[in-house]
Amino acid sequence: MAKSMLIVSRHSPWSGLGAREALDIALAGGAFELPIGMLFLDDGVFQLLPGQQPAALEQKDLAANLQALPLFGVEDLYVCRQSLRLRGLDGQPLALPATPLEGPELADLFDRYDLVITL
């Protein structure tokens, strides 16, 4: 039986390779039908904002990779409510339906997965 994996993405889409690498791992695992969940935490919540214009920063657009997650079977998407709140994003529309969690809910999420990868 395949082990389940939670990928924790903590980097904004424009702060280096961390966000892209997290998405690549999720898409690769999904292609092999592994049970994958993804948590957007800290600055990783910025990845979920719609209408970004990364070309202005000479960065690649991650929107297509994000939209591909459900197509690859990565449908368990979560976002840290406190991270949203601390960045003034609580209540903002998100590019993907992600379940907001905080406090003990986050601890429970980590316990549900066999492996946790944080980028």
Side-chain angles (χ1 to χ4, degrees), residues 13-118:
W14 54 83
S15 67
L17 297 175
R20 178 169 296 284
E21 289 175 350
L23 287 170
D24 287 346
I25 292 169
L27 292 169
F32 287 101
E33 299 182 5
L34 296 174
I36 304 253
M38 192 155 188
L39 170 64
F40 297 90
L41 181 69
D42 298 331
D43 285 345
V45 300
F46 288 117
Q47 295 176 50
L48 295 174
L49 294 180
Q52 296 188 33
Q53 297 181 357
L57 297 172
E58 298 182 9
Q59 298 287 322
K60 292 189 178 190
D61 192 358
L62 297 181
N65 293 38
L66 280 169
Q67 296 302 319
L69 288 171
L71 300 173
F72 280 75
V74 182
E75 296 175 349
D76 295 333
L77 303 175
Y78 307 94
V79 62
C80 176
R81 183 176 282 126
Q82 181 178 5
S83 295
L84 289 172
R85 192 171 33 252
L86 289 174
R87 287 154 183 82
L89 303 174
D90 202 19
Q92 294 285 328
L94 301 178
L96 288 174
T99 304
L101 303 174
E102 66 182 322
E105 297 169 315
L106 285 171
D108 291 343
L109 178 68
F110 283 97
D111 288 342
R112 283 188 286 192
Y113 288 88
D114 298 314
L115 303 169
V116 176
I117 297 175
T118 303

